[in-house]
């Protein structure tokens, strides 16, 4: 039975790198009908925080990586002490007394050549003569990472250890412990480093953002998962959009690249847009409603869902993140909109009061108020005025929406409604031109 684990330390939030490790473990388990375990490595009692545990679990759930079992290392200290005693009895470890009389248990590193056949990197050989003796149990009674990791991986019957490249240097130390404690060796697969697009390691500034932040920015979990998947793996044939079910079928840990992956946030935006475009507008509507309530754009108990659905459809093809909707469609909900000063300077510097007034009147004369009729009425007017359509389209859009970009003007007018359109235009004329 394939059993893998994700073993985060709750000393910080779940970031892209950790989420990618979790995904590859989860994918491997699912693709091989194996099990995916979660182990919270909270042995560092002062740095581990409950909030981080919560945050990590929530992020994993949000991404859809359900686990089959979970355990906490802080509840297993007795087990580590028991195995440290075994190492002592077997002559693999010794006790070191500190000046204050406290005892640590130290592992004797035997110089030898250790070889692993990493599933991603191939054969790696280590010379343990350069490794110092290793602490197993610190003088405060807590175990070290390498020790608790090996004891747990062995007792939890982990078959494949899939983790970041940054742990390669720990692997020979761990192998020596497996040997000393008489545990069978698992397989190892070390995932490539993730580099920032600008070069160098990821940092806060270069996209090493918590998963919860991507969530609140309005990325869809399936888009983020698709993006994470491509950090070191690809389904082949240059495909970039790949759903989770298909990935489960195609994924193999042996096909992961050894070269570093590059974290390209533009690609994440592109992927998210692809998913948003294809999402059911009704479910996007459900997702934006709480955002609109939070912004006080709508009243929690009293709103027109069909109206919001129409607006969602209007913006859906262009959205990069869900939050764009809230930012871009604000003018449909606000009573007083603010006009972007740059847009104003660009499109409203000239006095268009006369044209605006004529358009206001024209709206009253339409025999129907639908998108086609609004557009026909507008085209007629610019023809009569002998001006180009865009000479009026852009200025009217800026007055109605406060922005230069957005859906087609006639759709905007239709969904804003005749009264609000006329009101915004006349208010603008009054305020600006008298
Ligand atoms: N707690 C370790 C980490 O977060 C786990 C490493 C491992 O997977 O062995 O890096």
């Amino acid at each position: 039975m394939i059993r893998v684990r994700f073993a985060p330390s709750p000393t910080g939030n779940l970031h892209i790198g950790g989420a990618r490790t979790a995904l590859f473990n989860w994918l491997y388990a699912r693709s091989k009908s194996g099990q995916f375990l979660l182990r919270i490595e909270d042995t560092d009692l002062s740095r581990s925080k409950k909030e981080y545990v919560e945050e990590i679990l929530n992020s994993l759930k949000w991404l859809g990586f359900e686990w089959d079992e979970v355990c906490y290392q802080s509840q297993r200290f007795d087990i580590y002490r028991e195995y440290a005693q075994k190492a002592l009895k077997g002559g693999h470890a010794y006790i070191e007394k500190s000046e204050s009389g406290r005892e640590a248990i130290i592992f004797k590193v035997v110089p030898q050549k250790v070889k692993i056949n990493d599933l991603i990197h191939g054969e790696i050989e280590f010379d343990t003569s350069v490794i110092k003796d290793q602490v197993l149990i610190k003088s405060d009674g807590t175990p070290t990472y390498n020790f608790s990791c090996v004891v747990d991986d062995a007792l939890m019957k982990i078959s494949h250890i899939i983790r970041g490249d940054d742990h390669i240097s720990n692997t020979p130390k761990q192998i020596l412990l497996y040997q000393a404690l008489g545990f069978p060796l698992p397989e190892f697969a070390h995932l490539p480093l993730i580099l920032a697009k600008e070069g160098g390691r990821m940092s806060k500034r270069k996209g090493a953002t918590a998963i919860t932040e991507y969530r609140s920015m309005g990325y869809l979990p399936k888009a983020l998962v698709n993006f994470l998947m491509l950090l070191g793996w690809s389904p082949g044939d240059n495909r970039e959009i790949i759903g989770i079910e298909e990935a489960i079928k195609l994924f193999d840990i042996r096909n992961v690249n050894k070269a570093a992956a590059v974290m390209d946030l533009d690609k994440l935006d592109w992927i998210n847009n692809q998913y948003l475009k294809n999402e059911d507008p009704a479910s996007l509507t459900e997702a934006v409603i709480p955002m609109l309530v939070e912004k006080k754009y709508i009243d929690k108990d009293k709103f027109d869902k069909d109206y919001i659905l129409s607006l969602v459809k209007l913006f859906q093809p262009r959205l990069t993140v869900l939050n764009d909707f809230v930012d871009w469609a604000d003018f449909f909900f606000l009573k007083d909109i603010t006009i972007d000063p740059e847009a104003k300077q660009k499109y409203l510097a000239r006095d268009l009061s006369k044209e605006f007034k004529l358009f206001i009147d024209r709206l009253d004369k339409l025999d129907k108020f639908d998108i086609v009729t609004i557009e026909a009425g507008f085209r007629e007017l610019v023809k009569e005025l002998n001006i180009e359509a865009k000479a009026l389209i852009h200025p009217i859009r800026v007055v109605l929406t406060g922005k230069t970009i957005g859906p087609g003007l006639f759709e905007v007018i239709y969904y804003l409604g005749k009264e609000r359109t006329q009101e915004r235009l006349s208010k603008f004329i009054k305020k600006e031109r008298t």
Side-chain angles (χ1 to χ4, degrees):
M1 160 80 99
I2 302 269
R3 278 167 68 89
V4 294
R5 71 349 180 236
F6 176 53
S9 308
T11 52
N13 293 322
L14 184 67
H15 282 194
I16 289 286
R20 195 267 318 250
T21 302
L23 168 64
F24 282 23
N25 274 285
W26 182 87
L27 263 181
Y28 191 58
R30 291 292 170 263
S31 70
K32 301 278 179 213
S33 306
Q35 289 177 329
F36 172 66
L37 282 61
L38 188 58
R39 183 170 72 226
I40 305 296
E41 302 212 320
D42 51 356
T43 52
D44 186 335
L45 301 173
S46 60
R47 285 177 59 229
S48 299
K49 298 244 147 48
K50 249 208 179 83
E51 302 89 89
Y52 292 134
V53 175
E54 289 285 299
E55 198 264 0
I56 292 168
L57 298 185
N58 286 337
S59 300
L60 292 172
K61 276 188 215 150
W62 180 69
L63 291 167
F65 310 155
E66 295 292 342
W67 50 90
D68 298 296
E69 293 168 27
V70 57
C71 78
Y72 291 76
Q73 288 192 321
S74 58
Q75 293 165 8
R76 298 167 62 84
F77 283 1
D78 289 347
I79 301 175
Y80 310 131
R81 288 189 196 118
E82 179 193 327
Y83 278 89
Q85 289 303 323
K86 279 193 181 157
L88 279 173
K89 283 209 186 85
H92 303 291
Y94 54 91
I95 288 177
E96 200 171 72
K97 249 194 184 140
S98 69
E99 278 171 24
S100 59
R102 300 219 289 187
E103 293 180 345
I105 302 180
I106 316 285
F107 179 68
K108 272 189 243 171
V109 171
V110 181
Q112 57 178 291
K113 295 265 193 305
V114 171
K115 233 190 246 171
I116 61 161
N117 203 354
D118 189 283
L119 296 175
I120 296 168
H121 292 264
E123 201 174 273
I124 312 177
E125 199 184 62
F126 305 94
D127 181 357
T128 66
S129 65
V130 297
I131 301 174
K132 290 190 302 220
D133 285 357
Q134 297 288 308
V135 178
L136 300 182
I137 303 284
K138 295 183 241 177
S139 58
D140 65 3
T142 64
T144 55
Y145 154 68
N146 278 316
F147 184 52
S148 52
C149 179
V150 167
V151 170
D152 284 341
D153 283 336
L155 298 183
M156 293 164 81
K157 302 210 170 346
I158 300 301
S159 60
H160 292 71
I161 295 189
I162 303 171
R163 62 184 170 204
D165 257 358
D166 49 330
H167 285 288
I168 285 190
S169 62
N170 286 318
T171 303
K173 300 172 191 165
Q174 296 187 2
I175 289 175
L176 294 180
L177 287 167
Y178 278 95
Q179 290 171 348
L181 295 168
F183 293 138
L185 273 188
E187 300 269 8
F188 289 93
H190 289 96
L191 303 173
L193 207 76
I194 305 174
L195 296 177
K197 195 183 179 188
E198 303 86 339
R201 280 182 166 256
M202 280 201 298
S203 60
K204 185 100 189 126
R205 201 167 40 83
K206 295 178 184 166
T209 318
I211 297 301
T212 41
E213 282 178 57
Y214 287 101
R215 179 182 187 168
S216 54
M217 282 189 271
Y219 289 93
L220 297 177
K222 54 187 161 189
L224 196 54
V225 168
N226 188 144
F227 173 73
L228 291 170
M229 215 183 274
L230 301 176
L231 293 172
W233 180 74
S234 106
D237 58 41
N238 282 331
R239 245 172 353 126
E240 312 233 79
I241 297 296
I242 171 157
I244 196 70
E245 291 306 324
E246 205 191 344
I248 291 173
K249 286 198 193 98
L250 298 174
F251 186 79
D252 195 322
I253 196 72
R254 290 169 182 82
N255 296 340
V256 170
N257 284 329
K258 41 176 168 241
V262 176
M263 163 102 178
D264 180 352
L265 288 172
D266 293 333
K267 189 190 263 183
L268 172 61
D269 284 349
W270 178 81
I271 292 174
N272 206 52
N273 168 264
Q274 298 293 308
Y275 278 92
L276 280 172
K277 260 193 228 173
N278 293 313
E279 193 74 2
D280 173 17
S283 83
L284 289 186
T285 303
E286 295 300 334
V288 299
I289 285 170
M291 298 174 163
L292 296 172
V293 170
E294 201 193 308
K295 281 263 183 190
K296 298 200 164 54
Y297 287 176
I298 55 173
D299 181 344
K300 162 164 101 22
D301 312 302
K302 206 178 91 223
F303 56 85
D304 181 350
K305 202 186 260 187
D306 288 336
Y307 179 63
I308 299 172
L309 177 68
S310 320
L311 300 183
V312 163
K313 285 185 186 158
L314 208 54
F315 286 93
Q316 190 173 356
R318 301 161 206 254
L319 300 175
T320 299
V321 289
L322 211 45
N323 299 25
D324 287 340
F325 177 77
V326 183
D327 295 339
W328 297 348
D330 61 349
F331 63 89
F332 281 114
F333 302 99
L334 293 168
K335 201 164 178 326
D336 292 306
I337 60 157
T338 339
I339 295 180
D340 167 39
E342 240 171 83
K344 190 169 166 188
Q345 204 178 31
K346 189 159 173 203
Y347 294 111
L348 295 166
R350 203 162 71 80
D351 184 1
L352 289 163
S353 313
K354 189 188 88 193
E355 289 83 352
F356 286 176
K357 272 185 198 138
L358 289 169
F359 184 59
I360 293 170
D361 292 343
R362 192 60 53 112
L363 288 177
D364 278 330
K365 293 196 185 102
L366 301 177
D367 30 297
K368 269 195 295 183
F369 195 77
D370 60 24
I371 298 168
V372 176
T373 319
I374 298 166
E375 172 157 12
F378 175 85
R379 302 264 173 216
E380 244 174 54
L381 177 67
V382 290
K383 212 165 151 199
E384 285 165 28
L385 291 171
N386 201 16
I387 56 173
E388 268 190 289
K390 64 170 196 248
L392 208 47
I393 285 185
H394 295 306
I396 294 180
R397 180 204 302 287
V398 173
V399 174
L400 297 180
T401 71
K403 312 176 208 322
T404 50
I405 51 152
L409 177 66
F410 309 111
E411 273 120 333
V412 166
I413 293 174
Y414 175 72
Y415 287 107
L416 209 51
K418 191 167 94 175
E419 280 72 39
R420 284 202 289 174
T421 301
Q422 291 175 321
E423 194 187 288
R424 282 186 194 181
L425 287 168
S426 32
K427 215 165 128 189
F428 180 81
I429 301 170
K430 261 198 216 117
K431 195 167 139 225
E432 301 291 323
R433 308 292 172 204
T434 48

